[in-house]
Amino acid sequence: MLEVSGLHAFYGHIEALRGVDVTVNEGEIVTLIGANGAGKSTLLMSICGNPRAAAGRILFEGGEITQLPTHQIVRLGIAQSPEGRRIFPFMSVLENLQMGAAVTDPGHFDDDLRRVFELYPVLEKRRHQRGGTLSGGEQQMLAIGRALMSRPRLLLLDEPSLGLAPLLVKQIFAVIREINEQQNVTVFLVEQNAFHALQLAHRGYVMANGKIVMSGSGETLLADKEIRAAYLEGGH
Amino acid sequence: MTERSATTSPVLPPLDAVGIVREAGLTAFVVFALTFSLVGFKVEDVPGGLDIVTRFDQVLAATVLAFTGRVVLILLHKRRHLPVILVGLAIAAVILGLVVAARGAPESATAAWLPFESVVVNVLVAVAALVLAGRAAWSAWRRDVGVSDEAVELAARVHKAAIFLGPLMLGFAVVLPFLPFADRRLLDIAILVVTYVMLGWGLNIVVGLAGLLDLGYVAFYAVGAYSYALLAINFDLGFWVCLPFAGIMAAFAGILLGFPVLRLRGDYLAIVTLGFGEMIRVILLNWYEFTKGPDGISGIPRPTLFGLPFTRTDPDGGETFHSFFGLTYSPLDRIIFLYYLILILALVTNFFTMRIRRLPIGRAWEALREDEVACRSIGINPRNTKLTAFSIGAMFGGFGGSFFATRQGFISPESFTFIESAIILAIVVLGGMGSQIGVVFAAILLIGLPEFFRELQQYRMLAFGAAMVAIMVWRPRGLLAFRDPTIRLSDHDTAPEKQT
Ligand SMILES: Nc1ncnc2c1ncn2[C@@H]1O[C@H](COP(=O)(O)OP(=O)(O)O)[C@@H](O)[C@H]1O
Ligand SMILES: [Mg+2]
């Protein structure tokens, strides 16, 4: 579904991605783990064209999207919940969700809204509250909900568990599985919380210094000695 | 929360007198340094040349006022309400008493005790003291000092009331020309205020909704005015034919400005738009063959009601407004017509803005204001979104400009200086970015009141500045900063709220 090959990306002179190859197949949950500053967020962002790939190709459902403007990429069916959630703080929950549906046929709005409220009942309770006044977990749900409102076939999530209490993390991850299984949305998940992410994902990639250093199924990576040493023991 | 819990304990921390005096002294020193040269010396015309007059008494007064005001603010923040209330009331009582006692006898000994020569300034100082005392009393009652909830609550209440307040004010605006006290002067001020309300609403699209800080809005006002003037004079077209053209020209200017500034935000955007505004003015000033440069354009046709002019007799021998309707001629008719013209233009602007806020493009503007990266990630094209905001905002500026041209009958680049942009922006910011009714209040406050207080002369701008500073201190997000959601689910709303 998504095929990234030989991707290089820069911030000024800093090379943040140094030849990345990643494949995500339809129906999968694929996770990307790695230390802070490895380039995970950059990869997610450059799939959407910002920063633009300096070299390499990005294919989505067989079509080349490497040079498309960001807003057009989103229209193809890729939705992103960016790092730091980036909900609209002065808009109500409902308006945030409405913004997520900006690129779809307005006829779907009611159905899509109901689906999001089913996934996250708390959002329905808070629907008239300003986005900025939600708790961290609720904001994360809103960010994912907003992304879902555009009826994506591929959902890109950047650290949805960041700053959340362990119980909430479990909940967020359970819903991601639900989105994947019941709504047939392919998920590409960037996480630092390697343990949960690898448990959830079908396959995983490990990134360091702008390169993919390891890949395999979730279980293999979880069992890997080096990964346990680097990402699982100690911190988590 | 911490503030509130602190108030429950009756013991207040002791005051640090030295610190307070030092802080107030610093404020007073800044005011002194500023006023010493600006207010302290005045160049006056005397027979045979110029003379320098000193006004150190006023410098002293300003310094003392600043010192007192600062102490009051500190005391309020430290929850010492009582002394503020007492001193404020005392000052107000003394000044007002003296003013009343000295009425009609400006040379008397009583009058010499007044801090200022001008009666108006004295009264203003007394009112300021009263306001401070009242504020202290209010917060003592609320047991809550500072901006916080009460301000937000007030804004929310005003916006709720806007449902009634809006039509009420509109009704008042509609009948205003026929009220007994509506004379020429009042109507002129009203026209001016409504013009600025319209410009404020137009700029609100760019600044309030899309969040693009535009310091050059006057450029579009100028483009609209010159488009109308030149079209009307060179092609002999009427106001109503030219109006859409003027709007289109201004919108086009908006796009011209928009393209180079697409990547800029915040301060940088403000500086470039400021430059753009000046550029337009300089072009108008120097393109003599086309714009007549500094001489300006005169003889701009007055507007007509479907071809009926508002003159005593029609130069071409046709019907005029009063003869057609069988009325006696009154020069006020034209003023009233102009008033309704600008009122309609303003209402169109308002209606348009309220509508478009609920459409995808309007929502995209607001989203863009909040987070451009997030906008891209949900498929919004920031370039088109910004360009439409610039061009639609500019279009209303252009309409306003056409009105200005037809009202004045004469325009020159001098009418389109930076101060105009600054005032319009001040109206939007003070009103509370994005608040439609806030713009109305701010325009009345900033345009209407200073016009009424022309007697204040040079103090007018000082009061203007003071009002701006005061509002920025107490209401940094504007008088009525409050955002109404554009969507509600009415069917869900009727269900009782379990928990919020
Ligand atoms: N906007 C930016 N400008 C310059 N450098 C950046 C920017 N964003 C990220 N970087 C750099 O790119 C590298 C990768 O960052 P990022 O993709 O955010 O890492 P991760 O998400 O894995 O923590 C880091 O070295 C970071 O400092
Ligand atoms: Mg990151």
Side-chain angles (χ1 to χ4, degrees), chain A:
Chain A
M1 184 175 223
L2 180 75
E3 229 170 294
V4 176
S5 49
L7 189 64
H8 290 255
F10 291 82
Y11 290 111
H13 293 291
I14 305 167
E15 188 172 17
L17 298 180
R18 311 160 185 247
V20 174
D21 301 286
V22 164
T23 309
V24 180
N25 300 314
E26 182 143 17
E28 276 186 318
I29 300 180
V30 175
T31 188
L32 175 67
I33 58 176
N36 240 329
K40 307 181 298 292
S41 299
T42 308
L43 173 60
L44 219 57
M45 294 293 283
S46 39
I47 290 172
C48 292
N50 175 37
R52 182 125 347 258
R57 299 179 70 192
I58 306 166
L59 300 181
F60 178 63
E61 296 185 329
E64 172 127 22
I65 59 167
T66 323
Q67 296 300 333
L68 281 186
T70 304
H71 59 96
Q72 280 180 22
I73 293 173
V74 176
R75 276 156 211 256
L76 293 176
I78 301 180
Q80 191 186 22
S81 157
E83 187 168 28
R85 294 150 198 171
R86 289 193 174 265
I87 55 162
F88 301 115
F90 287 102
M91 292 185 162
S92 69
V93 167
L94 204 52
E95 285 173 311
N96 266 280
L97 294 173
Q98 206 180 15
M99 288 312 303
V103 296
T104 53
D105 178 353
H108 300 314
F109 182 74
D110 290 338
D111 284 348
D112 294 346
L113 190 66
R114 194 157 31 73
R115 277 196 305 152
V116 169
F117 283 163
E118 272 164 18
L119 286 174
Y120 300 116
V122 65
L123 290 184
E124 181 163 19
K125 264 192 234 156
R126 303 261 187 271
R127 65 192 178 277
H128 294 313
Q129 204 169 318
R130 279 199 292 118
T133 62
L134 297 180
S135 73
E138 290 163 352
Q139 289 192 8
Q140 186 56 57
M141 295 174 198
L142 181 56
I144 298 176
R146 185 180 67 184
L148 286 176
M149 288 301 287
S150 69
R151 310 198 134 208
R153 290 191 298 283
L154 175 63
L155 182 61
L156 309 177
L157 299 175
D158 197 341
E159 301 207 29
S161 73
L162 192 71
L164 300 187
L167 201 68
L168 265 176
V169 174
K170 271 217 172 95
Q171 211 181 323
I172 290 273
F173 277 47
V175 175
I176 292 174
R177 169 163 287 154
E178 205 177 319
I179 292 168
N180 173 254
E181 284 173 359
Q182 291 173 14
Q183 310 197 357
N184 298 319
V185 179
T186 310
V187 177
F188 186 44
L189 170 70
V190 164
E191 260 304 335
Q192 285 213 46
N193 194 331
F195 180 67
H196 277 110
L198 289 174
Q199 274 191 328
L200 174 75
H202 302 111
R203 289 190 302 117
Y205 290 90
V206 182
M207 189 179 237
N209 294 322
K211 278 192 184 133
I212 300 293
V213 291
M214 211 184 286
S215 67
S217 74
E219 298 96 63
T220 348
L221 290 177
L222 262 180
D224 188 278
K225 258 204 203 97
E226 274 178 58
I227 294 205
R228 295 196 78 92
Y231 304 107
L232 297 177
E233 274 140 31
H236 298 278

Side-chain angles (χ1 to χ4, degrees), chain B residues 244-475:
Chain B
F245 279 110
I248 291 169
M249 294 294 286
F252 185 67
I255 293 176
L256 272 188
L257 165 68
F259 261 112
V261 302
L262 277 174
R263 288 166 178 280
L264 304 178
R265 281 195 80 76
D267 310 350
Y268 299 101
L269 178 66
I271 291 167
V272 175
T273 52
L274 190 156
F276 183 80
E278 283 300 287
M279 243 165 64
I280 296 275
R281 192 176 64 82
V282 171
I283 290 174
L284 293 176
L285 206 55
N286 289 296
W287 195 358
Y288 193 85
E289 306 80 57
F290 190 54
T291 65
K292 297 227 181 63
D295 301 345
I297 301 176
S298 54
I300 301 168
R302 303 299 195 159
T304 56
L305 183 68
F306 301 113
L308 297 171
F310 288 87
T311 47
R312 188 179 292 278
T313 53
D314 187 7
D316 306 329
E319 291 271 21
T320 64
F321 173 75
H322 67 94
S323 70
F324 185 81
F325 289 101
L327 304 166
T328 48
Y329 173 71
S330 155
L332 211 55
D333 285 349
R334 189 174 65 81
I335 307 297
I336 294 178
F337 176 69
L338 282 174
Y339 173 76
Y340 279 123
L341 184 58
I342 188 62
L343 189 62
I344 288 170
L345 286 176
L347 288 176
V348 167
T349 313
N350 184 32
F351 183 75
F352 181 89
T353 312
M354 309 262 273
R355 281 273 117 173
I356 205 162
R357 255 195 79 196
R358 288 171 168 72
L359 297 180
I361 179 68
R363 276 189 262 120
W365 287 339
E366 287 199 78
L368 195 68
R369 176 191 64 199
E370 298 203 7
D371 195 330
E372 188 169 336
V373 174
C375 272
R376 281 217 199 87
S377 83
I378 53 177
I380 288 171
N381 180 344
R383 186 189 62 197
N384 294 355
T385 311
K386 282 186 194 178
L387 285 181
T388 47
F390 268 122
S391 61
I392 291 179
M395 180 181 76
F396 288 113
F399 290 156
S402 299
F403 173 79
F404 177 76
T406 191
R407 173 184 173 220
Q408 299 292 101
F410 168 79
I411 52 172
S412 78
E414 288 316 299
S415 313
F416 306 106
T417 50
F418 168 66
I419 187 74
E420 292 297 320
S421 297
I423 290 176
I424 302 168
L425 185 67
I427 288 175
V428 172
V429 173
L430 289 191
M433 308 250 271
S435 161
Q436 294 291 92
I437 200 153
V439 164
V440 178
F441 286 123
I444 293 173
L445 206 70
L446 289 189
I447 306 296
L449 289 187
E451 284 298 317
F452 264 112
F453 289 108
R454 277 227 171 257
E455 295 88 87
L456 280 174
Q457 298 166 19
Q458 72 266 44
Y459 297 108
R460 222 156 56 100
M461 288 319 275
L462 200 65
F464 183 91
M468 296 267 283
V469 171
I471 291 174
M472 285 298 112
V473 168
W474 276 311
R475 304 295 327 271

Side-chain angles (χ1 to χ4, degrees), chain B residues 10-34:
Chain B
V11 188
L12 291 167
L15 287 176
D16 166 20
V18 180
I20 293 176
V21 170
R22 195 187 298 137
E23 199 177 332
L26 187 68
T27 310
F29 176 73
V30 171
V31 170
F32 174 77
L34 280 175

Side-chain angles (χ1 to χ4, degrees), chain B residues 89-295:
Chain B
L89 287 178
I91 291 178
V94 167
I95 293 184
L96 287 178
L98 284 172
V99 166
V100 172
R103 203 173 34 180
E107 305 298 328
S108 68
T110 344
W113 279 96
L114 282 170
F116 298 98
E117 270 176 52
S118 157
V119 174
V120 186
V121 178
N122 281 319
V123 172
L124 277 185
V125 170
V127 169
L130 270 183
V131 168
L132 277 180
R135 199 188 146 69
W138 165 252
S139 35
W141 181 58
R142 288 281 311 249
R143 285 272 153 225
D144 176 29
V145 189
V147 214
S148 68
D149 330 331
E150 83 190 51
V152 176
E153 239 173 63
L154 176 74
R157 232 180 286 140
V158 169
H159 278 262
K160 281 232 178 67
I163 302 169
F164 310 104
L165 210 58
L168 212 68
M169 287 169 72
L170 176 61
F172 177 74
V174 168
V175 298
L176 178 69
F178 301 107
L179 295 179
F181 53 84
D183 54 1
R184 168 82 198 243
R185 175 155 179 264
L186 182 88
L187 280 180
D188 274 337
I189 293 177
I191 290 175
L192 202 63
V193 169
V194 180
T195 309
Y196 277 94
V197 168
M198 171 180 180
L199 292 172
W201 278 340
L203 184 61
N204 214 355
I205 295 175
V206 185
V207 178
L209 291 185
L212 303 163
L213 188 52
D214 184 351
L215 280 181
Y217 196 59
V218 74
F220 310 122
Y221 193 46
V223 168
Y226 271 86
S227 301
Y228 168 60
L230 292 171
L231 281 172
I233 288 181
N234 293 335
F235 299 102
D236 201 22
L237 297 172
F239 178 76
W240 296 106
V241 182
C242 294
L243 190 67
F245 279 110
I248 291 169
M249 294 294 286
F252 185 67
I255 293 176
L256 272 188
L257 165 68
F259 261 112
V261 302
L262 277 174
R263 288 166 178 280
L264 304 178
R265 281 195 80 76
D267 310 350
Y268 299 101
L269 178 66
I271 291 167
V272 175
T273 52
L274 190 156
F276 183 80
E278 283 300 287
M279 243 165 64
I280 296 275
R281 192 176 64 82
V282 171
I283 290 174
L284 293 176
L285 206 55
N286 289 296
W287 195 358
Y288 193 85
E289 306 80 57
F290 190 54
T291 65
K292 297 227 181 63
D295 301 345

